[in-house]
C-alpha cells in the first residue's frame, strides 16, 4: 500500500494515539507514527503538541526516520523555539556521525531552523562541517552559511565563517567551489557594499578549473560570478573567453545563456582587429540558434535575450535571418518577438527575402500579427533606404486588399515614410484619400489628418476633407483632436483666404468647448501666435521637420549595456533593470559593461554656466519646502520673537492656521468689479476687471477683431506701483496661478492679487497666511474671494496689510514667505516686497535734527551708490521721491551740482538719511550719486534699490 493511507485517517482521539505510538519501543511503529504526524502537518492540522515526542525519535540510526523528524522540526521550530533547543544536542551529535549523509542532513536542517535563540549553539557544529573531510558535507555547509547570514549576519561575521567560505573557493572539489561561490554571491547581493567576492587572477583560475567538472547549476553560479569580474587587460579577457567558450555547447539553456553573458561582457575589451574576435562572433551564433528549437516558452526567453544581443552586436546573427522566420504553429508571443528581431537584422543584403516574408504574414488570420507585419514593412523602408520604393509599393498592394485593419496600419506607417523621405512618395496621397471613410481607429485617423495638413497645398479639397473630420470633433479621441487642430492651422497658413471660418471654428472648439487641458493650451498658443505675428506662426507651425531616425524603438545605450550584464535573468526578459521590478531591502547593484579598449572619446562635464554669464537680477529666495512648511505651521504658536513691542491685536483673522478646519466661513462679500469673465478670446497675460469690451467679442466677428488683443494700460498717480508679477505659477499649485504686487496709498499697505484658475475644477475656501518676516508684515483681514473661482476665471482683489505681525530677520531682508489655502491644497511661495511700501508719511525730519543725526551716525555706517542712466532734473527727482514718502529736507548747489538732503522713516521706526547729487542740464552726466546713513546699515542696499526703482519708473 502507498503512503496515501496516512492522509485518510479520521480518528477522534488522534493526537493521543499518535503520542502513544511515537513512544513505542518498536522501530516500525515509531516510523509509521512519524509518517502520520507529517501527513497531518502537510494537510494543515496543528500537531505542534507532539513536539517533545517527535524530537525523542531523533535518536535513531534510520536515515528515513531522521529525515522525517528533521522535516517536522523545520516546520515547528519557529512556533516552539523553547522546545527546539531540546534538539540542539542531537544536531551536535549528528554532525559527528560517521555517515556523511547524516552529517550533511544535520547541517542542512540547522540552516533551515530560523530561530535566533538556537543559532549560536549551531556555530560549532557548522564550523566542523565546513572543514569536514567529505566534500558532500562541505558543500552543504557552504549553503548553510548563507542561510545563517540571512538570520543573523553579525554572528556569521564574528564567527569568521565568511573567511572560511572564501577559503572554500580554493577547495579541491568543484561542487564545493560552486556552492561556496553561490553562498558568497547570495551574501554579497544583500550587502552590496561588502567586497566579499574579491576576485583576482588566481581565484578566477580556480573557478575556471572547477567549471569543467561541476554540475550544471554549479556552472551557472560560477559563470555568473565570472561575469562580475573585471579583467585587468584584453589578454586576460581573451584567456577567460577561451575557457568559457566550451560551455556554449552545453545541453542546459541556462548554462548557455550564462556563458553568452560572460562572453558578451568580455568582448567589450577585445580589439575588433583580433582574429580571435571574429572567431568568437562565429561561435556565438550556433548556440543561440539551437535555443530556438526548444519548446515555445524557452524560445520566448531566448528571443528576448537575442533581441538585446542583436541590438548590441547585430553582426553575430546577421547571416541567420531564416531561423527567425515565423512558423505557422508558433504561439503569437513567439511570432511577435521573431518579427521584431527580423527587422533589427534587416539589411540591404537580405531585404528582398524579408519583404517577401512580411507580405506573406500580412495575409495571415491573426489580426495582431498582421498589424505588426504591416508596421514591420514600414520600419524596413525607414531602415533600408534602398528598399523604400519596394516597401511603398508593397504597402499600396496591401491597401488595395481593402481589409480594414490592414489599410489603417498601412496609412500609419506611410506617414512615417513621408517623414523619412520628404517629397519622394507623395504621389500615393490620392490613393490614401480614397480610403478616408474606412478609418475608424484614432491612430490611423490622426495619421491621415497629419498627411492632409502637411501636404494641404497638393490636395485640392484639403479643406473639405478636414471639415468632414471636424463635424464630430467632440467624439474624436484626444490624439485626433490635437492632430486636427494642427492640420487646420497649417491649412490656414497655406491657404488663408479660403479657410478663415474653418480655423475660427476649430480654435473655438479647442479652447471654449473642450475640457482637455492639452488641447486648450495648444489652441491658445496657436491663437496667440496667429494674432500677434502670423509670420512667426508660419515659421513655427510650418517649420522643416527633422527626419525621423531609422530605429525609434532601440533600447537606450546605457540601459542596453546594463541589460547585457543581466542576460539569462528576468531583467533580460522584461527589458527592464532589476530595480524597476524587484522590491524589498536587497540592494540591487547597477552593473555596466567594461570600457572599450582604445576608446578615444573623452567626455567633458558640462559646466554649470558659461564664464561671465550674467546672474539673475533677483536673488533666489524660495526656501527649502521643509523649512517654509515648518515655519508656517508654527505661526503665532510660540512667544513673539524679541523685536519691537507688538500691538495687542497681533493675531489677525488672516493668521488662522492654514491646515486647520476653521477656514470654511472665510468667504465674504464679492469685491467690487469682479464678475464672471467672458472668455470669447484667449485670456491676455493679465485680465483685468475693466478689460476692453472687444475681449469678449463673439467668434464670428472676423479674424482681425478676433486676434486684436491690445489693451490700454492706465497709470496710477501717487506712490510707485510695480507691475504685477507671477508669484506662484499654475504648474506648482495644481492649476492656481497667483500674480501680484504691493502698493502703499494714504498710509495703508496692500497686496494686490490676481488669482487665475487654470485647473478643471472649481476653487473655493481661500485663505492666506504669512511667515514671520523682517518688518512684521501680516494680513489685516481675511482673503475674501466671494464667488467660487470657476475654471479659466480670474479675480483681482486687494488684501490690506499691517506691520504688527511676528518679526524675524529674513535673508534677504525683504523676503516674504506666503501660504495660500483653497479647497484643493495648501500652496507655498516666496516673493520680495519693495521696501518703499514701508516708507511712512511722517518721515520728514527738520533741518537741525537732520544735521545732528547725520553727525551722530558713525561714518562706517555710510554707504555710497550710483544710479546710472537717470537723466532727471532736481525738481522732477524730488517730486517723484516725495510721492513715495522720501522727503527733501534741504537743497543746495555746490560747484554746479545740486545736493538734495533727504530723510525717510520705515514702519518699524528706523530712520534713513540720504544725500543725492544731481548734475542738472549736463547731458554727459546722467548718473546720480547717492549716500545713505542709517543706524541699521543692512537696510541701505534695499533703500538704494527703492530709489533706483522710483526714479527710473
Amino acid at each position: 500500500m502507498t503512503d496515501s493511507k496516512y492522509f485518510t485517517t479520521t480518528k477522534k482521539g488522534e493526537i493521543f494515539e499518535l503520542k502513544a505510538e511515537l513512544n513505542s519501543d518498536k522501530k516500525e511503529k515509531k516510523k509509521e507514527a512519524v509518517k502520520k504526524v507529517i501527513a497531518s502537518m502537510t494537510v494543515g492540522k496543528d500537531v505542534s503538541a507532539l513536539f517533545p515526542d517527535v524530537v525523542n525519535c531523533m535518536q535513531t540510526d534510520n536515515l528515513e526516520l531522521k529525515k522525517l523528524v528533521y522535516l517536522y522540526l523545520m516546520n515547528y521550530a519557529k512556533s516552539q523555539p523553547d522546545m527546539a533547543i531540546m534538539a540542539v544536542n542531537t544536531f551536535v551529535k549528528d554532525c559527528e556521525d560517521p555517515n556523511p549523509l547524516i552529517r550533511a542532513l544535520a547541517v542542512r536542517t540547522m540552516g533551515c531552523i530560523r530561530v535566533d535563540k538556537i543559532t549560536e549553539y549551531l556555530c560549532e557544529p557548522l564550523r566542523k562541517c565546513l572543514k569536514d573531510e567529505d566534500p558532500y558535507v562541505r558543500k552543504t555547509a557552504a549553503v548553510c552559511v548563507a542561510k545563517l547570514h540571512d538570520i543573523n549576519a553579525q554572528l556569521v561575521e564574528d564567527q569568521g565563517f565568511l573567511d572560511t567560505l572564501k577559503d572554500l573557493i580554493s577547495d579541491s572539489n568543484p561542487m564545493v567551489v560552486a556552492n561556496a561561490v553561490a553562498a558568497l554571491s547570495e551574501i554579497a547581493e544583500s550587502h552590496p557594499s561588502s567586497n566579499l567576492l574579491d576576485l583576482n587572477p588566481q581565484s578566477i583560475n580556480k573557478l575556471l578549473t572547477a567549471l569543467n567538472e561541476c554540475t550544471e547549476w554549479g556552472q551557472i553560479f560560477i559563470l555568473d560570478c565570472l561575469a562580475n569580474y573585471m579583467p585587468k587587460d584584453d589578454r586576460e579577457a581573451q584567456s577567460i573567453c577561451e575557457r568559457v567558450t566550451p560551455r556554449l555547447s552545453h545541453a542546459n539553456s541556462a548554462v548557455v545563456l550564462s556563458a553568452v553573458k560572460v562572453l558578451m561582457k568580455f568582448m567589450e575589451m577585445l580589439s575588433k582587429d583580433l582574429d580571435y574576435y571574429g572567431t568568437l562572433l562565429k561561435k556565438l551564433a550556433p548556440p543561440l540558434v539551437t535555443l530556438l528549437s526548444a519548446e515555445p516558452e524557452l524560445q520566448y526567453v531566448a528571443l528576448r535575450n537575442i533581441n538585446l544581443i542583436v541590438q548590441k552586436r547585430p553582426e553575430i546573427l546577421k547571416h541567420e535571418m531564416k531561423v527567425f522566420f515565423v512558423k505557422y504553429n508558433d504561439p503569437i508571443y513567439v511570432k511577435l518577438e521573431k518579427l521584431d528581431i527580423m527587422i533589427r537584422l534587416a539589411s540591404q543584403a537580405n531585404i528582398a527575402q524579408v519583404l517577401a516574408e512580411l507580405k506573406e504574414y500580412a495575409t495571415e488570420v491573426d489580426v495582431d500579427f498582421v498589424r505588426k507585419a504591416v508596421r514591420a514593412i514600414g520600419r524596413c523602408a525607414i531602415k533600408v533606404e534602398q528598399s523604400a520604393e519596394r516597401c511603398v509599393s508593397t504597402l499600396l498592394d496591401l491597401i488595395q486588399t481593402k481589409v480594414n485593419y490592414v489599410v489603417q496600419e498601412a496609412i500609419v506607417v506611410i506617414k512615417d515614410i513621408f517623414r523619412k523621405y520628404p517629397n519622394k512618395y507623395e504621389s500615393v496621397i490620392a490613393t490614401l484619400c480614397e480610403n478616408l471613410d474606412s478609418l475608424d481607429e484614432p491612430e490611423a485617423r490622426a495619421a491621415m489628418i497629419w498627411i492632409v495638413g502637411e501636404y494641404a497645398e497638393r490636395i485640392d479639397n484639403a479643406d473639405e476633407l478636414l471639415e468632414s473630420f471636424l463635424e464630430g470633433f467632440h467624439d474624436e479621441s484626444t490624439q485626433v483632436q490635437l492632430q486636427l487642430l494642427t492640420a487646420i492651422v497649417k491649412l490656414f497658413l497655406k491657404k488663408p483666404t479660403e479657410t478663415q471660418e474653418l480655423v475660427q471654428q476649430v480654435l473655438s472648439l479647442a479652447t471654449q468647448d473642450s475640457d482637455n487641458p492639452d488641447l486648450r493650451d495648444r489652441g491658445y498658443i496657436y491663437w496667440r501666435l496667429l494674432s500677434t505675428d502670423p509670420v512667426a506662426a508660419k515659421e513655427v507651425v510650418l517649420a522643416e521637420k527633422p527626419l525621423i531616425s531609422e530605429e525609434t524603438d532601440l533600447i537606450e545605450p546605457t540601459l542596453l549595456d546594463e541589460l547585457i550584464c543581466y542576460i539569462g535573468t528576468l531583467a533580460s526578459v522584461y527589458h527592464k533593470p532589476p530595480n524597476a521590478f524587484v522590491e524589498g531591502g536587497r540592494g540591487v547593484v547597477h552593473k555596466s559593461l567594461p570600457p572599450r579598449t582604445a576608446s578615444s572619446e573623452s567626455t567633458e562635464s558640462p559646466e554649470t554656466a558659461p564664464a561671465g554669464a550674467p546672474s539673475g537680477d533677483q536673488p533666489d529666495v524660495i526656501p527649502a519646502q521643509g523649512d517654509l512648511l515648518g515655519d508656517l505651521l508654527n505661526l503665532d504658536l510660540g512667544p513673539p520673537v524679541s523685536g519691537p513691542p507688538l500691538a495687542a491685536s497681533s493675531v489677525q483673522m488672516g493668521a488662522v492656521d492654514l491646515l486647520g478646519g476653521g477656514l470654511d466661513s472665510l468667504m465674504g462679500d464679492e469685491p467690487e468689479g469682479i464678475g464672471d469673465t467672458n472668455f470669447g478670446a484667449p485670456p491676455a497675460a493679465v485680465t483685468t476687471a475693466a478689460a476692453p469690451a472687444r475681449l469678449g467679442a463673439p467668434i464670428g466677428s472676423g479674424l482681425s477683431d478676433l486676434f486684436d488683443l491690445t489693451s490700454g494700460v492706465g497709470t496710477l498717480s501717487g506712490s510707485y506701483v510695480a507691475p504685477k508679477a507671477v508669484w506662484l505659477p499654475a504648474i506648482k499649485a495644481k492649476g492656481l496661478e497667483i500674480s501680484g504686487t504691493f502698493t502703499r496709498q494714504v498710509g495703508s499697505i496692500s497686496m494686490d492679487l490676481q488669482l487665475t484658475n487654470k485647473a478643471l475644477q472649481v476653487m473655493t475656501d481661500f485663505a492666506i497666511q504669512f511667515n514671520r518676516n523682517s518688518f512684521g508684515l501680516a494680513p489685516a483681514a481675511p482673503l475674501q474671494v466671494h464667488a467660487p473661482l470657476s475654471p479659466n476665471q480670474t479675480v483681482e482683489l486687494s488684501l490690506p496689510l499691517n506691520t504688527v505681525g511676528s518679526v524675524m530677520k529674513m535673508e534677504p531682508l525683504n523676503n516674504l514667505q506666503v501660504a495660500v489655502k483653497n479647497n484643493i491644497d495648501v500652496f507655498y511661495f516666496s516673493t520680495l516686497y519693495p521696501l518703499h511700501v514701508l516708507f511712512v508719511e511722517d518721515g520728514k525730519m527738520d533741518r537741525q535734527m537732520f544735521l545732528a543725526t547725520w553727525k551722530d551716525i558713525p561714518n562706517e555706517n555710510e554707504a555710497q551708490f550710483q544710479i546710472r542712466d537717470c537723466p532727471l532734473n532736481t525738481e522732477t527727482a524730488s517730486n517723484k521721491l516725495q510721492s513715495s514718502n522720501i522727503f527733501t529736507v534741504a537743497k543746495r548747489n555746490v560747484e554746479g551740482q545740486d545736493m538734495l538732503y533727504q530723510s525717510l522713516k520705515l514702519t518699524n521706526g528706523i530712520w534713513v538719511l540720504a544725500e543725492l547729487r544731481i548734475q542738472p542740464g549736463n547731458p554727459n552726466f546722467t548718473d546720480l550719486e547717492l549716500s545713505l546713513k542709517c543706524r541699521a546699515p543692512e537696510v541701505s542696499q534695499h533703500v538704494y534699490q527703492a530709489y533706483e526703482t522710483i526714479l527710473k519708473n
Side-chain angles (χ1 to χ4, degrees):
M1 193 174 172
T2 63
D3 285 349
S4 59
K5 64 182 177 187
Y6 301 112
F7 292 91
T8 54
T9 173
T10 51
K11 290 179 191 167
K12 290 227 169 128
E14 199 176 0
I15 297 283
F16 183 75
E17 285 184 17
L18 284 172
K19 201 179 183 79
E21 285 179 25
L22 286 167
N23 293 317
S24 162
D25 296 335
K26 293 180 180 169
K27 281 187 180 177
E28 274 310 307
K29 214 166 189 183
K30 254 188 187 177
K31 194 159 131 187
E32 291 291 300
V34 174
K35 282 188 177 180
K36 285 177 188 171
V37 171
I38 297 292
S40 300
M41 182 179 89
T42 309
V43 294
K45 288 182 187 166
D46 183 13
V47 282
S48 56
L50 297 169
F51 199 96
D53 306 286
V54 176
V55 169
N56 283 339
C57 298
M58 280 173 83
Q59 315 291 342
T60 175
D61 299 331
N62 185 313
L63 190 60
E64 190 186 358
L65 181 55
K66 223 179 220 342
K67 276 185 180 175
L68 290 169
V69 174
Y70 277 169
L71 196 62
Y72 176 90
L73 206 62
M74 284 185 228
N75 199 43
Y76 282 116
K78 208 160 193 177
S79 57
Q80 308 263 351
D82 297 330
M83 291 279 197
I85 292 179
M86 291 162 51
V88 169
N89 269 341
T90 317
F91 280 133
V92 176
K93 252 198 215 161
D94 282 357
C95 283
E96 292 173 2
D97 194 278
N99 184 342
L101 290 176
I102 288 183
R103 297 203 297 275
L105 181 63
V107 81
R108 179 183 293 132
T109 311
M110 276 161 38
C112 295
I113 295 180
R114 304 179 63 81
V115 177
D116 240 349
K117 276 187 183 176
I118 67 169
T119 44
E120 52 200 79
Y121 297 114
L122 306 178
C123 290
E124 217 37 60
L126 180 58
R127 185 174 284 108
K128 283 181 185 165
C129 289
L130 280 167
K131 296 200 162 80
D132 198 282
E133 61 196 23
D134 193 286
Y136 182 72
V137 180
R138 291 201 300 278
K139 87 176 182 72
T140 311
V143 177
C144 185
V145 173
K147 290 179 179 173
L148 196 60
H149 188 275
D150 202 33
I151 303 166
N152 190 338
Q154 197 56 50
L155 181 73
V156 171
E157 285 162 31
D158 295 345
Q159 293 285 341
F161 287 148
L162 294 180
D163 296 326
T164 316
L165 262 189
K166 287 179 188 174
D167 295 341
L168 286 182
I169 289 183
S170 310
D171 197 276
S172 56
N173 185 290
M175 268 323 296
V176 177
V177 175
N179 276 21
V181 166
L184 283 169
S185 302
E186 180 81 11
I187 294 168
E189 240 173 63
S190 56
H191 291 70
S193 52
S194 64
N195 192 15
L196 288 176
L197 275 162
D198 188 14
L199 299 172
N200 53 43
Q202 289 73 36
S203 55
I204 288 292
N205 195 29
K206 286 170 188 162
L207 292 181
L208 287 165
T209 309
L211 188 61
N212 300 322
E213 299 167 42
C214 56
T215 64
E216 50 197 22
W217 294 111
Q219 291 182 31
I220 292 166
F221 289 134
I222 292 175
L223 287 167
D224 286 349
C225 178
L226 285 173
N228 294 328
Y229 175 62
M230 185 68 76
K232 60 180 188 296
D233 55 26
D234 55 344
R235 283 181 61 186
E236 190 185 356
Q238 183 176 336
S239 160
I240 294 172
C241 288
E242 284 169 354
R243 295 177 70 178
V244 167
T245 310
R247 300 299 105 216
L248 292 173
S249 52
H250 201 284
N252 185 322
S253 52
V255 176
V256 174
L257 281 177
S258 292
V260 168
K261 169 168 62 182
V262 175
L263 297 173
M264 285 292 290
K265 194 167 176 184
F266 291 171
M267 275 172 84
E268 284 292 305
M269 299 184 70
L270 302 179
S271 165
K272 289 193 174 183
D273 306 333
L274 279 176
D275 292 342
Y276 180 70
Y277 183 84
T279 313
L280 196 53
L281 285 179
K282 284 179 191 154
K283 284 185 177 171
L284 274 168
L288 293 171
V289 170
T290 308
L291 291 175
L292 297 182
S293 54
E295 50 268 38
E297 294 78 9
L298 275 179
Q299 274 190 56
Y300 178 71
V301 172
L303 286 165
R304 291 295 280 174
N305 281 279
I306 288 169
N307 200 326
L308 295 173
I309 293 164
V310 165
Q311 287 185 53
K312 185 71 186 166
R313 299 199 183 282
E315 63 269 28
I316 293 176
L317 289 160
K318 66 179 177 186
H319 300 305
E320 304 291 344
M321 177 64 88
K322 279 195 171 166
V323 298
F324 298 106
F325 285 176
V326 171
K327 297 191 182 82
Y328 76 95
N329 57 351
D330 279 339
I332 183 67
Y333 54 88
V334 170
K335 284 181 174 176
L336 295 178
E337 207 55 43
K338 280 185 173 179
L339 205 51
D340 209 29
I341 296 168
M342 278 170 67
I343 300 158
R344 297 204 192 286
L345 291 174
S347 64
Q348 202 176 338
N350 57 24
I351 193 72
Q353 207 180 6
V354 172
L355 274 178
E357 194 73 14
L358 291 174
K359 194 171 180 183
E360 198 67 35
Y361 299 162
T363 58
E364 286 265 349
V365 287
D366 191 315
V367 177
D368 281 341
F369 182 52
V370 172
R371 285 175 181 280
K372 187 103 179 189
V374 175
R375 240 166 230 229
I377 296 172
R379 279 174 62 187
C380 287
I382 290 164
K383 187 174 181 195
V384 185
E385 190 168 345
Q386 294 77 0
S387 73
E389 200 155 328
R390 191 183 287 171
C391 292
V392 172
S393 63
T394 306
L395 288 168
L396 287 175
D397 291 347
L398 291 171
I399 288 175
Q400 297 308 331
T401 63
K402 301 289 182 195
V403 177
N404 192 312
Y405 53 87
V406 176
V407 172
Q408 306 207 58
E409 284 299 328
I411 285 175
V412 172
V413 295
I414 286 176
K415 179 201 77 170
D416 290 340
I417 293 172
F418 285 167
R419 285 285 312 272
K420 176 73 175 172
Y421 310 109
N423 305 320
K424 210 165 177 188
Y425 301 109
E426 281 75 12
S427 53
V428 307
I429 292 175
T431 316
L432 302 183
C433 290
E434 288 166 17
N435 294 282
L436 213 59
D437 300 335
S438 64
L439 307 182
D440 54 16
E441 289 167 19
E443 200 175 356
R445 288 173 78 81
M448 193 64 227
I449 290 167
W450 181 89
I451 292 169
V452 173
E454 190 65 18
Y455 300 104
E457 68 278 10
R458 303 179 188 210
I459 305 171
D460 298 333
N461 61 339
D463 49 344
E464 289 169 27
L465 296 177
L466 292 176
E467 202 165 354
S468 67
F469 283 105
L470 203 57
E471 286 160 12
F473 187 78
H474 289 303
D475 303 327
E476 300 285 6
S477 71
T478 307
Q479 182 184 9
V480 178
Q481 289 177 334
L482 288 166
Q483 203 56 266
L484 190 54
L485 172 61
T486 304
I488 291 176
V489 171
K490 282 180 187 173
L491 178 66
F492 170 69
L493 290 168
K494 289 173 181 179
K495 302 178 178 177
T497 48
E498 304 152 41
T499 52
Q500 266 201 31
E501 279 183 31
L502 192 61
V503 78
Q504 286 182 7
Q505 195 183 344
V506 77
L507 287 173
S508 163
L509 286 168
T511 54
Q512 290 186 323
D513 306 345
S514 169
D515 56 1
N516 182 305
D518 291 341
L519 187 62
R520 278 208 315 270
D521 287 353
R522 191 181 289 193
Y524 282 134
I525 287 168
Y526 284 148
W527 202 323
R528 292 195 184 127
L529 261 176
L530 293 170
S531 65
T532 50
D533 190 350
V535 178
K538 211 162 190 168
E539 284 172 10
V540 172
V541 181
L542 302 181
E544 202 162 305
K545 286 155 196 65
L547 301 183
I548 59 174
S549 67
E550 53 177 315
E551 291 284 3
T552 47
D553 57 345
L554 281 177
I555 294 174
E556 192 265 324
T558 49
L559 174 58
L560 180 62
D561 286 355
E562 188 178 350
L563 293 176
I564 292 288
C565 300
Y566 287 111
I567 282 177
T569 67
L570 265 181
S572 66
V573 179
Y574 287 150
H575 286 187
K576 288 178 182 174
N579 57 342
F581 60 87
V582 174
E583 287 183 0
R586 303 222 156 186
V588 177
V589 188
H590 278 286
K591 298 183 181 179
S592 61
L593 294 179
R596 278 213 70 82
T597 50
S599 122
S600 56
E601 299 113 299
S602 65
T603 51
E604 283 182 31
S605 62
E607 290 179 20
T608 47
S615 59
D617 292 340
Q618 282 204 347
D620 183 12
V621 294
I622 303 229
Q625 186 75 4
D627 307 344
L628 180 54
L629 191 61
D631 270 356
L632 281 162
L633 296 186
N634 290 329
L635 275 182
D636 304 317
L637 296 180
V641 181
S642 59
L646 299 178
S649 62
S650 77
V651 179
Q652 300 95 38
M653 274 295 288
V656 180
D657 181 7
L658 279 174
L659 297 183
L663 294 170
D664 297 332
S665 59
L666 277 179
M667 283 161 44
D669 294 317
E670 178 174 35
E672 278 186 75
I674 295 173
D676 285 339
T677 316
N678 184 347
F679 273 76
V686 177
T687 310
T688 57
R694 66 172 166 273
L695 264 181
I699 285 295
S701 60
L703 210 58
S704 54
D705 279 1
L706 173 74
F707 292 144
D708 186 0
L709 292 177
T710 52
S711 58
V713 180
T715 55
L716 179 75
S717 60
S719 173
Y720 167 68
V721 180
K724 286 194 179 82
V726 176
W727 287 341
L728 181 65
I731 197 166
K732 290 187 178 174
K734 300 183 182 174
L736 173 65
E737 182 178 278
I738 300 181
S739 308
T741 186
F742 293 89
T743 61
R744 182 183 184 93
Q745 284 177 313
V746 204
S748 59
I749 308 168
S750 55
M751 183 191 250
D752 291 353
L753 294 169
Q754 176 177 291
L755 309 181
T756 304
N757 180 357
K758 295 190 174 179
L760 296 178
Q761 65 190 93
V762 173
M763 294 181 180
T764 57
D765 305 342
F766 284 91
I768 194 165
Q769 191 169 329
F770 294 177
N771 201 356
R772 294 178 292 181
N773 54 78
S774 308
F775 293 92
L777 274 177
L783 182 65
Q784 301 223 345
V785 182
H786 179 34
L789 193 59
S790 307
N792 275 338
Q793 192 184 350
T794 299
V795 295
E796 301 212 346
L797 38 103
S798 188
L799 177 72
L801 308 180
N802 59 30
T803 52
V804 293
S806 300
V807 175
M808 178 174 79
K809 188 176 175 185
M810 299 297 284
E811 186 54 51
L813 208 60
N814 57 338
N815 187 10
L816 181 65
Q817 296 173 347
V818 183
V820 171
K821 175 206 176 236
N822 63 13
N823 58 321
I824 297 172
D825 206 344
V826 180
F827 309 107
Y828 303 94
F829 65 89
S830 282
T831 182
L832 299 177
Y833 50 88
L835 214 62
H836 68 261
V837 300
L838 303 176
F839 298 170
V840 296
E841 282 66 21
D842 60 345
K844 186 166 184 177
M845 265 189 188
D846 67 48
R847 291 185 179 207
Q848 297 304 318
M849 186 70 174
F850 183 94
L851 199 60
T853 310
W854 186 276
K855 287 179 180 172
D856 195 36
I857 296 173
N859 284 337
E860 56 266 27
N861 283 22
E862 186 172 350
Q864 307 279 347
F865 302 97
Q866 268 201 329
I867 302 170
R868 299 194 174 279
D869 302 323
C870 193
L872 296 177
N873 63 34
T874 311
E875 193 176 343
T876 311
S878 182
N879 291 343
K880 271 193 166 197
L881 293 166
Q882 182 149 343
S883 69
S884 291
N885 295 340
I886 300 174
F887 300 98
T888 303
V889 176
K891 182 173 90 172
R892 63 183 181 138
N893 187 290
V894 180
E895 297 171 0
Q897 276 193 337
D898 282 346
M899 317 272 271
L900 295 181
Y901 297 98
Q902 298 176 314
S903 69
L904 61 98
K905 187 168 123 188
L906 293 164
T907 48
N908 58 359
I910 292 176
W911 284 91
V912 181
L913 310 185
E915 178 189 82
L916 185 65
R917 297 176 181 220
I918 301 173
Q919 294 224 355
N922 187 343
N924 298 328
F925 291 96
T926 55
D927 295 353
L928 312 185
E929 288 179 21
L930 177 68
S931 299
L932 297 175
K933 260 192 167 187
C934 177
R935 294 192 194 279
E938 58 267 33
V939 171
S940 299
Q941 177 67 31
H942 300 283
V943 172
Y944 152 66
Q945 285 168 0
Y947 261 88
E948 189 169 46
T949 305
I950 294 162
L951 290 172
K952 287 191 174 182
N953 288 288

